[in-house]
Amino acid sequence: MTRTMPRISRMASASMFALTLAFPVTLTPVLTSPAHAWRIVYDPSNYAQNVLTAARTLEQINNQITSLQNEAQMLINQARNLASLPHSSLQALQQNVQRTQQLLGQAQNLAFEVGQIDQAFQSQYGNVSLSATDAQMVADARSRWENTVGGLQDAMRVQAGVVGNIDANRAEMATLVGESQGATGALQATQAGNQLLALQSQQLSDLIAVISANGRADALSEAERATAAEQGRIQRERFLTPGSGYQPGNAQMFN
C-alpha cells in the first residue's frame, strides 16, 4: 500500500502536465475598482450650455476689441481735426496792405487827413477875396491846379499798385484752395477758409483804396473848377467896376 500511493501521485502529475500542454490556460488578472472611484458621465445639455457660454464670452471679447478700435480711430480723427494748417498767408497779405497804405500815404500836396483838407479848402478853395491881388489869384489858381494834377497822379499810382497785387493774390488764393482741399481735419479746413476770407478782405481794402484815390482826384478837380468859376466872377466884377482902369470906348473893326 505504501508503494502504490507515490505511483498514483506520479501518474496524476503526469496527467496534469499533459493536460496543461494540450490545453494551455491563460491567467488574466481581475482588477476591482475601489468603492470611492468617480464615474465619468456625459451630459449633452450641460455640454451645449458650456459651448453657448464660451461663444457668448468670445463675442463679448470681439465687441470689446471693436470698441477699442473705434475709440482709437476716434482719437486719431480728433487729432487730425485739431491739427493746425501748416501754411499761413498772413504775412503776404499784410505786405500787400502795407504797399497800398504806403501809396496812399504818399499823396501829393493834400494828404488823406481831415485837418489838412479843411485848412487847404479854407485857404485855397474858399471864397475868393475881392482885395486879393492879381498875382495872388494867379498863385492860388496854380496851387489848385497842382493839387488836381497831383490827385490824378496819386489815383493812377494807387491803381497801379492794386493791379500789381493781383498776381500775388492769385498765387496765394491757389495755395489756400489747395491747402483747403488737402486738409486732414476740420481745423485745417476752417483755417484755410479763414485765410481765404482774409485774402478777400485784403482785396476789398485795395478796392476801397482805389475808390478813395479816384474820389479824391475827382473832388480836387471839381473843387478847382468851382473855385475857378468864383475867381472868374470876382475878376469880371473887378474889371467892370468904375474906376478900375477900364474906359469903355468905340472900337472900329473895318475901314
Side-chain angles (χ1 to χ4, degrees), residues 128-137 140 234 238:
V128 179
S129 175
L130 292 174
S131 61
T133 63
D134 291 339
Q136 184 64 38
M137 288 185 179
D140 290 342
I234 296 298
R238 183 183 298 182

Side-chain angles (χ1 to χ4, degrees), residues 4-248:
T4 304
M5 291 300 293
R7 183 177 178 182
I8 294 173
S9 299
R10 287 195 299 269
M11 291 178 65
S13 298
S15 298
M16 291 294 294
F17 180 73
L19 290 173
T20 301
L21 293 178
F23 302 98
V25 177
T26 302
L27 298 177
T28 302
V30 178
L31 300 179
T32 60
S33 58
H36 63 275
W38 291 93
R39 179 181 297 178
I40 299 176
V41 179
Y42 174 72
D43 187 356
S45 61
N46 188 25
Y47 177 77
Q49 184 65 31
N50 291 336
V51 171
L52 182 60
T53 302
R56 289 176 178 175
T57 303
L58 180 61
E59 183 180 1
Q60 291 178 356
I61 294 175
N62 290 333
N63 292 336
Q64 291 177 355
I65 293 175
T66 303
S67 178
L68 291 175
Q69 290 176 345
N70 293 335
E71 290 179 1
Q73 187 63 40
M74 181 178 64
L75 293 176
I76 294 174
N77 293 335
Q78 289 179 353
R80 290 177 178 176
N81 288 332
L82 296 176
S84 236
L85 190 70
H87 176 77
S88 175
S89 61
L90 179 60
Q91 184 176 2
L93 297 180
Q94 287 180 339
Q95 290 177 353
N96 292 342
V97 173
Q98 288 176 356
R99 281 194 294 268
T100 304
Q101 287 179 334
Q102 289 175 356
L103 291 174
L104 293 175
Q106 295 171 1
Q108 305 176 54
N109 302 326
L110 290 179
F112 289 91
E113 201 273 322
V114 176
Q116 185 177 359
I117 292 174
D118 290 341
Q119 182 180 0
F121 267 76
Q122 289 177 1
S123 61
Q124 299 179 17
Y125 296 94
N127 295 326
V128 179
S129 175
L130 292 174
S131 61
T133 63
D134 291 339
Q136 184 64 38
M137 288 185 179
V138 171
D140 290 342
R142 181 172 182 82
S143 178
R144 291 189 295 270
W145 174 81
E146 289 177 352
N147 291 340
T148 300
V149 174
L152 294 172
Q153 184 179 3
D154 293 339
M156 295 182 66
R157 293 176 70 240
V158 172
Q159 293 170 6
V162 170
V163 170
N165 289 338
I166 291 178
D167 187 64
N169 292 338
R170 179 195 58 78
E172 196 63 35
M173 180 176 61
T175 301
L176 290 175
V177 170
E179 292 289 341
S180 177
Q181 292 177 345
T184 59
L187 180 60
Q188 289 189 359
T190 302
Q191 290 179 339
N194 291 338
Q195 294 188 41
L196 284 171
L197 291 176
L199 174 61
Q200 185 179 13
S201 299
Q202 183 264 317
Q203 292 173 334
L204 288 176
S205 67
D206 280 351
L207 179 60
I208 293 174
V210 171
I211 293 175
S212 300
N214 291 341
R216 174 176 176 268
D218 293 339
L220 289 173
S221 179
E222 291 297 327
E224 180 193 7
R225 185 179 296 109
T227 306
E230 177 65 14
Q231 180 175 334
R233 186 185 66 80
I234 296 298
Q235 289 177 334
R236 185 172 61 255
E237 288 182 0
R238 183 183 298 182
F239 180 76
L240 296 177
T241 300
S244 61
Y246 171 73
Q247 298 296 331

